[in-house]
Amino acid sequence: MREVVAGAVIGDGRLLLAQRTYPTDVAGLWELPGGKVEAGETREQALRRELGEELGIEVRVGRQLGDPVPLRADLVLVALAADLIKGSPRPEEHSAVRWVETPELESMAARGELVPADAAWLDDLIELLAVRPRGNGPS
């Protein structure tokens, strides 16, 4: 079973989202950034690599959020909490990036603006934001 890892990146009490450019069924929707776990990599290594390549940031990876979400028969999506430790995200492979707080995240989910697989973790993301309020960024 192949894995894709998604990062619930928190910076100054806000969650980082990236806007998809492809495939067409999710283009324009917002997601937790990340990518495929390559052979010989841990989930944590893959997330750090992908976020460095795609967004130019460094993160400290934490715990898994919720349950894995099946994407297809041979592929599962896993979310990991992460704290921004260096860099300012720039969209290399996405249309845009944005930081959101809980009310905006909830509104986006209600409007169907999140990638469906990531929306499965909405409660976990809200809980993560609650324990990392603004002003309590990484040390």
Side-chain angles (χ1 to χ4, degrees), residues 40-136:
E41 274 186 324
T42 65
R43 293 170 175 171
E44 294 81 6
Q45 290 168 331
L47 185 60
R48 284 193 295 271
R49 176 184 52 77
E50 287 283 350
L51 295 178
E53 292 171 1
E54 291 184 5
L55 301 171
I57 61 173
E58 291 181 29
V59 296
R60 179 177 45 247
V61 181
R63 67 178 175 88
Q64 179 177 319
L65 296 181
D67 295 321
V69 175
L71 297 176
R72 51 181 204 243
D74 64 337
L75 193 64
V76 66
L77 180 64
V78 177
L80 300 176
D83 290 307
L84 178 67
I85 57 173
K86 185 177 179 186
S88 180
R90 58 186 189 281
E92 299 289 337
E93 298 182 17
H94 293 87
S95 302
V97 294
R98 71 197 286 189
W99 292 99
V100 299
E101 294 181 31
T102 300
E104 188 175 7
L105 179 64
E106 290 173 318
S107 294
M108 292 174 74
R111 293 189 303 263
E113 295 175 357
L114 301 178
V115 169
D118 291 1
W121 296 306
L122 184 61
D123 291 341
D124 299 291
L125 296 170
I126 290 168
E127 179 183 317
L128 186 63
L129 284 165
V131 299
R132 299 227 175 92
R134 289 195 72 149
N136 290 349

